[in-house]
Amino acid sequence: GIQVEQSPPDLILQEGANSTLRCNFSDSVNNLQWFHQNPWGQLINLFYIPSGTKQNGRLSATTVATERYSLLYISSSQTTDSGVYFCAVVGRGGGGNKLTFGTGTQLKVEL
Amino acid sequence: GAVVSQHPSRVICKSGTSVKIECRSLDFQATTMFWYRQFPKQSLMLMATSNEGSKATYEQGVEKDKFLINHASLTLSTLTVTSAHPEDSSFYICSAVQGVPYNSPLHFGNGTRLTVT
């Protein structure tokens, strides 16, 4: 099946700093989403972005499907941004209806 | 829009008993629902895919007789953990999609934290 690797695995930021999270995938994809999992386990949909660039407030994402990666940008980070960020993809290969999650990036934003 | 409700949010049960978890799409009809499992500090692992009116498709290594999935309507899927044991303790999350997963976003419930004593 498709492999999804995220980097960095852990990240500590001072409040106000910017960061870039990366998601690499091993095959072509039809669907790519970014999620934020808060400390209570809730998964928050950030972006549905199989290709191109989107922005929502302090967050933006870019997917370069031909090069098999996606980036999530967080600007002016806040303590409420802390949690785990996952990208998840649906590969075009066999089993093309399954959303496979990446390894995640644990983010901690400190005052 | 696109709200998925999952209940209960937390359950503690004794070893040997069964637990049912409900997943409902509140404002859309979900053609497909998925059940995931997450262990502490790990990613989400897909357990099974369910389509309304048909049998669920289980991922390799997931016991279908232990994790019973029923997708009775376009807005409701249930996961029953039968004869639960402490090793079944985990965080279970459902998701639902209105269109087809390969070109539609998936929406997730808030998860169920199961503790088996």
Side-chain angles (χ1 to χ4, degrees):
Chain A
I2 193 167
Q3 304 299 312
V4 186
E5 296 288 332
Q6 292 183 240
S7 60
D10 298 280
L11 184 60
I12 300 175
L13 298 175
Q14 294 286 63
E15 194 173 47
N18 303 327
S19 64
T20 301
L21 282 56
R22 187 178 180 102
C23 171
N24 291 331
F25 38 95
S26 61
D27 201 354
S28 300
V29 299
N30 288 316
N31 179 344
L32 188 147
Q33 292 181 248
W34 281 97
F35 298 93
H36 174 214
Q37 188 171 38
N38 66 23
W40 297 272
Q42 295 173 324
L43 274 175
I44 311 299
N45 257 314
L46 297 178
F47 294 102
Y48 169 73
I49 186 167
S51 64
T53 298
K54 290 185 178 180
Q55 180 157 8
N56 184 2
R58 296 182 296 105
L59 302 181
S60 64
T62 295
T63 297
V64 184
T66 54
E67 297 187 21
R68 300 182 183 174
Y69 73 88
S70 183
L71 302 174
L72 178 69
Y73 306 96
I74 305 174
S75 64
S76 304
S77 59
Q78 300 175 358
T79 56
T80 51
D81 294 333
S82 296
V84 184
Y85 289 80
F86 289 106
C87 71
V89 304
V90 176
R92 287 187 183 174
N97 276 338
K98 298 188 287 189
L99 193 68
T100 299
F101 277 76
T103 48
T105 292
Q106 174 84 55
L107 173 65
K108 184 176 182 181
V109 181
E110 299 177 333
L111 292 172
Chain B
V3 177
V4 176
S5 174
Q6 186 174 341
H7 291 281
S9 59
R10 187 179 295 268
V11 58
I12 301 172
C13 71
K14 292 189 176 181
S15 188
T17 61
S18 295
V19 174
K20 179 184 282 189
I21 303 169
E22 288 191 351
C23 179
R24 293 181 184 272
S25 55
L26 297 186
D27 51 2
F28 66 98
Q29 292 187 325
T31 49
T32 306
M33 289 186 170
F34 301 88
W35 288 93
Y36 288 82
R37 183 174 183 176
Q38 185 180 30
F39 290 107
K41 298 192 182 300
Q42 293 189 21
S43 188
L44 281 76
M45 299 299 295
L46 181 65
M47 298 175 67
T49 303
S50 74
N51 293 291
E52 184 263 341
S54 60
K55 290 185 178 180
T57 302
Y58 290 81
E59 294 299 299
Q60 192 172 8
V62 178
E63 300 175 59
K64 63 180 181 181
D65 294 330
K66 179 164 195 57
F67 299 101
L68 300 179
I69 292 172
N70 184 8
H71 194 154
S73 74
L74 284 172
T75 59
L76 173 64
S77 177
T78 60
L79 167 67
T80 301
V81 183
T82 63
S83 187
H85 288 101
E87 57 265 30
D88 298 324
S89 299
S90 188
F91 191 58
Y92 294 87
I93 312 177
C94 72
S95 71
V97 60
Q98 185 170 12
V100 289
Y102 63 79
N103 65 3
S104 304
L106 271 67
H107 305 283
F108 284 79
N110 285 339
T112 297
R113 197 165 300 280
L114 171 63
T115 303
V116 184
T117 61

